[in-house]
Amino acid sequence: MAHSSIRILILGGTAEARLLAACLEDDARYLPLTSLAGVTARPSKIAGEVRSGGFGGVEGLRGFISQESIALIVDAAHPFAAQISAYAAKAGAQAGVRVLRLERPPWEQQSGDDWINVADIDEAARAMPEGARVLLTIGRQEVAPFFEREDIHVMARMIEPPQVHVPAHAQILLARPPFTLEQECALMKEQRITVLVTKNSGGDATFAKIGAALSLGLPVIMIARPEKPPLDTAPGVEDMLKLIEKHVA
Ligand code: NAP
């Protein structure tokens, strides 16, 4: 390990972050250190150094940056993880360390797609029509407002079980992406789903549900991404590697 290697903090939790860590670990110029929120019980293996758990807000992250001699930060957190992105932009600016963002593009509505575009979780919970049979695919953290709607049936799909009470009109389906178009169509038909609810996460691993809704003529309640501070952004790992080269040159 060359003493002069550049220490790069990757805010992880996504497939792109994992791929970036592997690419940087293979390059002697860089020393990647991936940070995970610590909410996933069995995270996939990540190349290079890994740490887990919150930093303790902007202050904590700023302290970590200086303690660990971080020279560059890549915010590759999930598009819906707004807090850590805001904290990273602030802590980086305060510490004089550049922050770049690796973020996959959102899904775009295509002709024929029946999307109900909503700004956030609460608007999505209100947008579900009475009597609907909903396939809810927003993860496990924010299911409560959907469970409060007693006039609908909710099938909530997630990787790990929720930490809230599951009412009688809701059902949990534990499953890990990716899913195929055939699997998604079969699930929606079998469960007589009438509406799909999803965050606009983008990417291929969970896109099949959008195609399945289109082919079955089902509406999709599409939750828009939260705003994040503007940063130099790359849509994929290859572009991020070029951006990193440019910034460390
Ligand atoms: P968040 O709301 O942006 O972050 C909440 C707090 O968790 C942060 O303030 C930070 O704590 C800690 N944290 C988050 N990411 C971290 C990281 N990479 N390293 C160290 N600490 C981290 O993010 P979230 O709670 O993870 O997720 C928010 C939304 O994103 C949810 O809707 C969730 O379903 C979705 N989502 C997130 C991920 C993910 O990987 N984060 C993956 C899939 C979906 P401190 O303030 O103490 O530093």
Side-chain angles (χ1 to χ4, degrees), residues 142-164:
E142 295 157 302
V143 291
F146 299 89
F147 287 178
E148 281 165 19
R149 287 278 308 264
E150 290 178 8
D151 58 330
I152 57 167
H153 179 273
V154 181
M155 169 167 269
R157 184 168 66 190
M158 55 194 70
I159 296 174
E160 288 168 15
Q163 282 159 331
V164 295

Side-chain angles (χ1 to χ4, degrees), residues 107-116 135 180-182 184-186 188-189 193-198 206-222:
W107 296 314
E108 300 284 347
Q109 188 165 4
Q110 306 296 323
S111 85
D113 276 329
D114 179 8
W115 285 13
I116 300 157
L135 178 59
T180 66
L181 183 64
E182 291 70 27
E184 297 292 49
C185 282
M188 289 180 195
K189 278 194 210 159
I193 296 300
T194 60
V195 184
L196 169 68
V197 179
T198 178
T206 59
F207 181 73
K209 62 189 171 187
I210 311 291
L214 173 65
S215 75
L216 298 174
L218 301 182
V220 177
I221 297 176
M222 182 63 72

